[in-house]
Amino acid sequence: MEDSHLNRIVVHVDLDAFYVQVEVQRDESLRGKPAGVMQYNPFGDLRTIKPEEPRIFNDSNGSLIAVGYEARAAGVKRNMRGDEARKHCPEMQLVQVPTSHGKADLTIYRNSGLKVVNILSRTSICERASIDECYIDITAEAQRRLAACAGQALLPVSPHQVHVCGQEDGAEGWWNRPAEDWGSGERLLACGAAAVADLRAAVFAELGYTCSAGVAHNKILAKLASGMHKPMQQTVVPAAATASLLHDLPIPKLRQLGGKFGEEIMSSLKINTVGELAQTPISKLEALFGDADAAWLHQLALGCDTDEVKQRTLPKSLSCGKTFRGASALHTFDAVHHWLGHLGLELEERIDTDRAANARLPQLLTVSMWHAVAGKTGDWKGAGNASRSCPLRRPQAATIAMDALALVRRWTAGPSWLAFHHTLPGCVQLCCCSHRRLHPHQVPEATAAQQQQASLQPPLQCLAAQQYFSAGRATP
Ligand code: DCP
Ligand code: CA
């Protein structure tokens, strides 16, 4: 890695078992117990279960979308059904996601994620990457701390929470080196790690949520590192450890190569690891993928990434979708229209809330459709997808549903429809994006319902930060 790349400190923060933590904050009876959050599978039953209603159904056979760490220790995994989870862990607590419009309502999780981002973005540039992840460019804060320590020894905030890649037997030696042994960028990295530990402690003290983090010189390495030690730990990637970190890493583990392109690289080059990709002559990559992609791939395989952390704490788009499997598959345009109406209602509510809170309005509507076919083992495999967009004429459910249906009809008139033997989509998603800013007079007062939603947040049950760091759950 070039020295100029070592001046930047990038962090990836990922909340631990996020939906489960949100549920534990809402219901203290779950604290310390093995728990999971189940997907909603109504088969056409439009039951609404509000967030504040009782949602623990321990006899359910629903499938798990989030599993707490106590339950993971007993062998429970994501995608397991309730029955199987109880076999591993009879005392398993099964919480159903809230629902509205016949589908999961993720509002409580989204709002909690936003509160976390609001804390993480206080001092640094912060880019929200998903409902429970964000990147932070913590360079300026790390530089400030480095200047303040003026050449003195750098100490970890807590060796138990600060892992260092390449120091698998314990990181104390890395931290306690004489000044002359520190490589370029390493002192800045260490100061960044201390700043991140403070941010994580602030999230815990103010909201009660634990998270894990990766601290590195770029986004790719920070993202890889945040998942290395979980829960409530953080991992630092010194530049010197990059090559060995990537050497045996399976290619799909790099987020950018997790899809079809990654598969194409592995099959056409007959390789499996990022290390093998790094050793592939660039001329060979150019012949297969063109000059631009080859250069990008080569840099990626070396762990180099210049992608900047963008200041973005609001989501780029608002989207909601629904999957229709097996018996719930849609067979008529009326059924598609019906569900587009429900999705449109959710979108309308969220556009209204977002408009009142953030003075912006989306301008583009996209409908995405996936075809799913049952695989030999009964699992579902994506067989193809299509997306069609049009201007968002009016942010109202009926118009959204009508325009989305027109897009679906136009798509079904084309060749891809014939290729799929006239089956209707197995999954439909509506998304709106390309927001424009509104003048203050275009922003309505928050409605009573929107204010009520804010007030529904339960009082936060927080342990003191001190208690968090002395909890001793994380061992190196
Ligand atoms: N999620 C979901 N369906 C999936 C994957 C995730 O609904 N197939 C939801 C539930 C998760 C949340 O998104 O709580 C965040 O996903 P993560 O992959 O980050 O998983 P967790 O936060 O649950 O666990 P971890 O501690 O491993 O990050
Ligand atoms: Ca997570």
Side-chain angles (χ1 to χ4, degrees):
M1 209 178 282
E2 287 172 31
D3 271 11
S4 61
H5 295 170
L6 305 180
N7 297 333
R8 203 162 61 113
I9 309 298
V10 177
V11 185
H12 180 256
V13 177
D14 179 7
L15 283 137
D16 303 319
F18 182 47
Y19 286 13
V20 176
Q21 285 206 75
V22 173
E23 298 296 352
V24 172
Q25 289 287 31
R26 300 180 64 86
D27 182 348
E28 273 297 303
S29 76
L30 293 168
R31 192 173 294 283
K33 293 184 186 162
V37 175
M38 295 179 298
Q39 184 56 292
Y40 178 53
N41 194 4
F43 284 106
D45 166 15
L46 302 190
R47 214 158 24 115
T48 293
I49 309 178
K50 293 188 181 148
E52 62 275 20
E53 287 175 345
R55 288 186 287 112
I56 301 179
F57 299 105
N58 286 342
D59 296 336
S60 171
N61 194 28
S63 104
L64 288 166
I65 50 176
V67 180
Y69 279 83
E70 292 84 353
R72 291 187 206 191
V76 180
K77 295 192 166 71
R78 176 180 288 160
N79 296 328
M80 269 185 186
R81 294 228 159 237
D83 286 348
E84 198 182 351
R86 275 187 298 278
K87 274 188 204 149
H88 290 272
C89 180
E91 62 280 21
M92 184 75 189
Q93 304 294 304
L94 295 171
V95 187
Q96 156 84 71
V97 284
T99 66
S100 69
H101 310 304
K103 55 184 285 300
D105 174 4
L106 306 182
T107 308
I108 55 170
Y109 312 117
R110 253 186 236 113
N111 290 349
S112 300
L114 191 57
K115 286 182 182 175
V116 174
V117 171
N118 287 341
I119 294 177
L120 296 176
S121 60
R122 271 182 200 153
T123 55
S124 302
I125 299 168
C126 184
E127 178 179 333
R128 199 173 186 190
S130 80
I131 199 161
D132 79 331
E133 287 170 278
C134 68
Y135 291 97
I136 310 170
D137 185 327
I138 209 157
T139 310
E141 176 60 17
Q143 282 168 341
R144 196 189 61 70
R145 288 177 182 237
L146 187 60
C149 78
Q152 291 164 17
L154 294 171
L155 293 174
V157 183
S158 154
H160 296 287
Q161 260 84 26
V162 184
H163 301 272
V164 179
C165 269
Q167 309 292 322
E168 276 66 39
D169 295 333
E172 285 82 355
W174 189 85
W175 287 97
N176 296 321
R177 288 170 295 163
E180 62 274 18
D181 287 0
W182 286 76
S184 184
E186 285 186 346
R187 284 173 72 80
L188 192 63
L189 197 61
C191 289
V196 177
D198 286 353
L199 278 178
R200 289 173 47 237
V203 168
F204 187 78
E206 294 179 42
L207 301 174
Y209 294 130
T210 70
C211 55
S212 300
V215 190
H217 292 294
N218 61 46
K219 281 177 157 180
I220 288 175
L221 297 174
K223 163 92 180 161
L224 266 181
S226 68
M228 290 173 74
H229 296 98
K230 270 181 146 282
M232 59 184 221
Q233 296 172 71
Q234 64 182 54
T235 307
V236 175
V237 189
T242 306
S244 56
L245 173 68
L246 297 176
H247 190 264
D248 296 327
L249 190 77
I251 285 174
K253 290 271 180 198
L254 283 182
R255 189 173 48 90
Q256 293 79 350
L257 303 181
K260 284 192 179 149
F261 189 39
E263 283 170 24
E264 190 188 334
I265 291 166
M266 291 195 295
S267 61
S268 51
L269 292 168
K270 298 193 174 38
I271 59 172
N272 295 308
T273 66
V274 178
E276 289 170 312
L277 183 59
Q279 280 156 16
T280 306
I282 193 148
S283 55
K284 200 167 173 183
L285 297 177
E286 282 167 354
L288 283 166
F289 307 115
D291 292 1
D293 277 356
W296 174 76
L297 269 178
H298 185 66
Q299 289 299 309
L300 187 66
L302 296 174
C304 298
D305 170 26
T306 52
D307 192 19
E308 286 185 7
V309 177
K310 292 140 202 113
Q311 178 61 45
R312 195 184 69 226
T313 52
L314 295 177
K316 253 204 275 193
S317 61
L318 304 177
S319 63
C320 58
K322 177 130 183 100
T323 304
F324 305 95
R325 293 181 176 181
S328 66
L330 304 181
H331 297 295
T332 64
F333 284 110
D334 279 351
V336 174
H337 192 198
H338 169 85
W339 280 104
L340 287 173
H342 282 290
L343 295 177
L345 277 172
E346 177 178 332
L347 218 47
E348 176 182 329
E349 282 171 18
R350 287 176 51 201
I351 291 171
D352 282 353
T353 306
D354 187 61
R355 180 182 186 164
N358 305 313
R360 60 180 195 159
L361 196 62
Q363 298 182 90
L364 192 71
L365 174 70
T366 301
V367 55
S368 304
M369 297 147 281
W370 283 266
H371 281 280
V373 288
K376 280 186 192 144
T377 51
D379 54 334
W380 285 75
K381 297 185 189 308
N385 59 57
S387 287
R388 296 287 183 275
S389 298
C390 65
L392 179 74
R393 285 191 296 142
R394 292 172 68 197
Q396 284 169 356
T399 313
I400 290 173
M402 189 195 309
D403 289 357
L405 183 70
L407 292 173
V408 174
R409 282 189 182 278
R410 210 177 308 156
W411 168 69
T412 57
S416 28
W417 165 247
L418 293 172
F420 287 111
H421 314 293
H422 301 87
T423 53
L424 282 165
C427 177
V428 181
Q429 188 183 55
L430 285 181
C431 172
C432 56
C433 60
S434 303
H435 290 82
R436 73 179 160 85
R437 295 222 64 79
L438 299 176
H439 293 294
H441 71 268
Q442 294 174 299
V443 180
E445 289 280 311
T447 62
Q450 287 160 1
Q451 285 172 359
Q452 195 195 358
Q453 190 204 328
S455 69
L456 281 177
Q457 300 294 329
L460 296 164
Q461 317 272 343
C462 298
L463 304 177
Q466 191 59 37
Q467 212 175 331
Y468 163 46
F469 279 107
S470 60
R473 279 182 51 190
T475 46

